[in-house]
Amino acid sequence: MSAWRGRAARWAIALVWFYEGFWCKIWPGRADQRAIVGDVPLLPGWAVTAVLAGIGLAEVAIGVWVLSGRRARAAALLQSVLVVAFNFGGLLFSPGRIEEPGRLVTQDLAFLALIWMVTWTAAE
């Protein structure tokens, strides 16, 4: 993969994390994301905002990590674990809040394929 294509692909991945982390969870935040986190068992209602903000900040940090290009395999592994965990948790605890589960899984499979394609073609 040429250098500019690799950078463009890293930016595409990072933008997904920035959107999901900052826009969907921090500012302005999406009601469906808040509701899904609120459905997590044993999570008190007063903690939802803090947990959502923490997840959002972590997602933004992952985007920054991806842009850095450092330790690409470790970044890809963490991203894979988080995407699977977030999907599994959402589908397990809030199945009625996810409008099209098949679309969610399909989009995330494509996202994971891009993450690993970038990783396999990056120099460590």
Side-chain angles (χ1 to χ4, degrees), residues 83-116:
V83 167
V84 170
F86 289 159
N87 282 340
F88 183 74
L91 293 170
L92 179 66
F93 301 131
S94 293
R97 296 191 192 275
I98 299 172
E99 288 184 29
E100 295 182 50
R103 181 185 65 188
L104 171 74
V105 172
T106 303
Q107 287 174 338
D108 284 339
L109 287 173
F111 183 52
L112 289 172
L114 177 61
I115 289 167
W116 283 101

Side-chain angles (χ1 to χ4, degrees), residues 7 16 23-24 29 37 43 47 56 58 74 95 102 108 111-112 116-117 119 123:
R7 282 192 296 275
V16 170
W23 186 260
C24 294
V37 171
L43 181 65
D108 284 339
F111 183 52
L112 289 172
W116 283 101
M117 182 200 68
T119 301

Side-chain angles (χ1 to χ4, degrees), residues 8-116:
R10 281 199 314 273
W11 268 101
I13 294 164
L15 287 172
V16 170
W17 288 111
F18 294 156
Y19 171 77
E20 288 294 330
F22 186 72
W23 186 260
C24 294
K25 294 179 181 73
I26 297 173
W27 185 81
R30 286 184 27 189
D32 63 328
Q33 299 275 320
R34 182 174 187 76
I36 289 168
V37 171
D39 286 344
V40 173
L42 306 177
L43 181 65
W46 57 265
V48 170
T49 299
V51 168
L52 205 56
I55 292 169
L57 290 173
E59 289 176 334
V60 169
I62 290 168
V64 172
W65 185 8
V66 168
L67 286 178
S68 79
R70 296 178 189 250
R71 299 193 44 141
R73 286 181 184 88
L77 181 60
L78 177 64
Q79 290 174 87
S80 298
V81 168
L82 290 177
V83 167
V84 170
F86 289 159
N87 282 340
F88 183 74
L91 293 170
L92 179 66
F93 301 131
S94 293
R97 296 191 192 275
I98 299 172
E99 288 184 29
E100 295 182 50
R103 181 185 65 188
L104 171 74
V105 172
T106 303
Q107 287 174 338
D108 284 339
L109 287 173
F111 183 52
L112 289 172
L114 177 61
I115 289 167
W116 283 101

